[in-house]
């Protein structure tokens, strides 16, 4: 009978406890099934879990709530950012209730029970939803990433083969690459889109063309002294004849098709030998794949012709071509041609 009465009493007590909230630091818990007020010692740690290892702590900092990972605060002293539960690294996730910011701070390796060193701000999420990586300088940009002391820069984006870097190395150069061979980098491909290059490009009203370059322009040049086929890496080709009238140099343009449409080359002869006739078998530069219809139109030469106009000797120098692929044809845009008489 006594056992039955005790069992009945225990059931009533358990049922009452189960229906009630539990308070620590308060006799009137109403905000949750478990409500804790206050913190341990002179610190800010409200609750600690897994304290036999790298535990987790719920803290109430002056600026807002904090979750400590292998991090707790049980006392407050000058310049203290907390302690390590166990040997290892630590971190905190915190909110500033007055600004709405959420912050993640990282701490270096430390010993269990030892104070942490100064932390590093890894991530800031502003109340607006904007994000700062290692920065909380401004909430006016959607994404803020400072370079700081990172050699590889402020951001690295890796493709399958190649990587783009922003503010790379102490020189802070920026490399924008496609991710694989033959990939393309496309800029401002919108109706009316324009691109500005150079210091003055920071004034948008000065960018009036599809490409506006404010300053000098560098284009590749190459000197050759033998037959050569131009590639997508060429622009100006200097063909050195070395005053040798016994040789002929063939310069071949790439096939005119969709892959070369619009491309421009400059082909210029230097140290041209003097030959006596346009029909000479040697002594000139021939450019293959040019679509022209009249005599010697694809040759660079220096002709000394004794039967020139007005009974005088005629000197004719075809020194350079500027050609462009238009559709499926290479056309001469500019030809540098001088003729004089003796």
């Amino acid at each position: 009978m006594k056992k039955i009465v005790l069992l009945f009493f225990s059931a009533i007590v358990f049922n009452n406890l189960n229906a009630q909230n539990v308070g620590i630091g308060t006799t009137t818990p109403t905000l949750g099934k478990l409500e804790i007020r206050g913190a341990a010692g002179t610190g800010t740690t409200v609750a600690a879990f897994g304290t036999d290892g790298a535990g987790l702590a719920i803290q109430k900092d002056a600026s807002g709530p904090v979750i400590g990972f292998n991090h707790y605060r049980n006392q407050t002293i000058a310049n203290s950012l907390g302690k390590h539960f166990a040997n290892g690294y630590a971190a905190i996730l915190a909110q500033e209730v007055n600004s709405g910011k959420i912050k993640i701070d990282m701490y270096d390796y430390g010993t269990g029970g030892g104070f942490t060193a100064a932390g590093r701000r890894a991530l800031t999420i502003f109340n607006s939803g904007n994000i700062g990586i290692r920065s909380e300088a401004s909430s006016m940009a959607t994404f803020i990433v400072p370079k700081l002391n990172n050699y590889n820069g402020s951001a690295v984006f890796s493709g399958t083969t190649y990587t783009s870097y922003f503010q790379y190395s102490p020189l802070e150069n920026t490399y924008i690459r496609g991710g694989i061979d033959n990939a393309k980098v496309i800029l401002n491909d919108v109706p009316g889109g324009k691109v500005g290059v150079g210091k003055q490009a920071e004034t948008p009203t000065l960018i009036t063309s599809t490409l506006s370059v404010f300053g000098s322009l560098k284009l590749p040049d190459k000197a050759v002294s033998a037959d050569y086929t131009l590639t997508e890496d060429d622009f100006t080709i200097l063909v050195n004849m070395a005053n040798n009238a016994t040789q002929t140099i063939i310069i071949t343009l790439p096939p005119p098709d969709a892959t070369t449409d619009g491309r421009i080359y400059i082909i210029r002869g230097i140290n041209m030998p003097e030959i006596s006739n346009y029909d000479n078998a040697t002594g000139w530069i021939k450019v293959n794949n040019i679509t022209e219809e009249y005599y010697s139109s694809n040759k660079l030469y220096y002709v000394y012709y004794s039967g020139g106009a007005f009974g005088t000797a005629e000197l004719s120098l075809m020194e350079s071509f500027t050609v462009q692929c238009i559709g499926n044809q290479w056309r001469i845009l500019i030809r540098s041609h001088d003729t004089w008489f003796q």
Side-chain angles (χ1 to χ4, degrees):
M1 183 66 180
K2 289 181 179 179
K3 291 182 179 179
I4 295 174
V5 171
L6 180 61
L7 182 60
F8 179 73
F9 178 76
S10 298
I12 292 174
V13 171
F14 178 79
N15 184 65
N16 288 337
L17 289 174
N18 189 52
Q20 293 177 354
N21 297 337
V22 176
I24 300 176
T26 177
T27 59
T28 57
T30 59
L31 302 180
K33 298 302 291 182
L34 174 62
E35 183 178 339
I36 304 174
R37 295 190 182 185
T42 60
T44 62
T45 299
V46 175
F49 305 91
T51 57
D52 55 333
L56 180 145
I58 306 297
Q59 306 167 30
K60 57 163 197 169
D61 193 71
S63 61
V66 178
I67 300 175
F69 302 88
N70 195 29
H71 178 282
Y72 69 99
R73 291 176 178 148
N74 68 345
Q75 65 183 113
T76 302
I77 63 174
N79 300 319
S80 168
L81 295 175
K83 294 181 179 180
H84 296 265
F85 277 116
N87 294 347
Y89 295 92
I92 64 170
L93 170 65
Q95 185 203 26
E96 292 183 1
V97 294
N98 289 333
S99 67
K101 287 189 294 189
I102 291 179
K103 308 171 294 183
I104 296 179
D105 289 348
M106 314 299 290
Y107 298 98
D108 288 334
Y109 192 96
T111 57
F115 286 105
T116 63
R120 292 178 300 279
R121 179 60 41 80
L123 177 71
T124 303
I125 303 176
F126 296 91
N127 186 251
S128 63
N130 292 346
I131 297 174
I133 304 294
R134 298 195 67 180
S135 172
E136 57 174 347
S138 171
S139 61
M140 300 304 293
T142 301
F143 199 57
I144 307 165
V145 186
K147 180 184 187 300
L148 302 179
N149 61 346
N150 295 301
Y151 189 92
N152 283 345
S154 60
V156 177
F157 297 93
S158 296
T160 302
T161 306
Y162 303 109
T163 300
S164 295
Y165 298 89
F166 291 78
Q167 293 86 46
Y168 178 83
S169 82
L171 298 177
E172 301 200 14
N173 296 322
T174 294
Y175 301 81
I176 301 177
R177 302 182 173 111
I180 59 174
D181 288 347
N182 302 311
K184 297 175 175 62
V185 175
I186 300 162
L187 300 177
N188 207 14
D189 59 336
V190 299
K194 297 176 176 60
V195 175
V197 178
K199 175 65 176 175
Q200 287 181 280
E202 63 186 21
T203 305
T205 55
L206 297 178
I207 303 174
T208 57
S209 299
T210 302
L211 178 62
S212 296
V213 179
F214 302 95
S216 58
L217 184 65
K218 178 178 174 60
L219 296 168
D221 60 83
K222 179 181 293 182
V224 300
S225 55
D227 294 354
Y228 182 74
T229 298
L230 285 90
T231 73
E232 62 183 10
D233 297 322
D234 293 317
F235 183 72
T236 298
I237 298 296
L238 298 178
V239 186
N240 188 357
M241 287 291 292
N243 293 306
N244 185 352
T246 65
Q247 73 168 335
T248 296
I249 296 179
I250 307 298
I251 302 299
T252 302
L253 296 167
D257 55 28
T259 65
T260 56
D261 187 23
R263 190 179 298 175
I264 295 175
Y265 292 116
I266 297 174
I267 304 163
R268 181 181 180 87
I270 60 175
N271 299 317
M272 301 287 289
E274 181 182 301
I275 58 177
S276 59
N277 195 290
Y278 298 106
D279 292 330
N280 273 29
T282 59
W284 38 262
I285 300 165
K286 181 181 179 183
V287 182
N288 281 344
N289 289 342
I290 290 181
T291 304
E292 296 293 341
E293 299 173 354
Y294 50 89
Y295 183 67
S296 299
S297 59
N298 66 340
K299 294 181 181 179
L300 300 179
Y301 50 78
Y302 178 37
V303 173
Y304 179 85
Y305 182 53
S306 59
F310 312 110
T312 62
E314 177 182 322
L315 291 89
S316 181
L317 173 62
M318 183 71 77
E319 191 174 30
S320 70
F321 293 147
T322 299
V323 299
Q324 183 176 23
C325 182
I326 302 174
N328 62 353
Q329 297 180 329
W330 283 102
R331 292 288 184 176
I332 296 175
L333 300 182
I334 304 171
R335 71 177 79 231
S336 175
H337 183 205
D338 292 321
T339 300
W340 60 98
F341 302 95
Q342 292 181 339

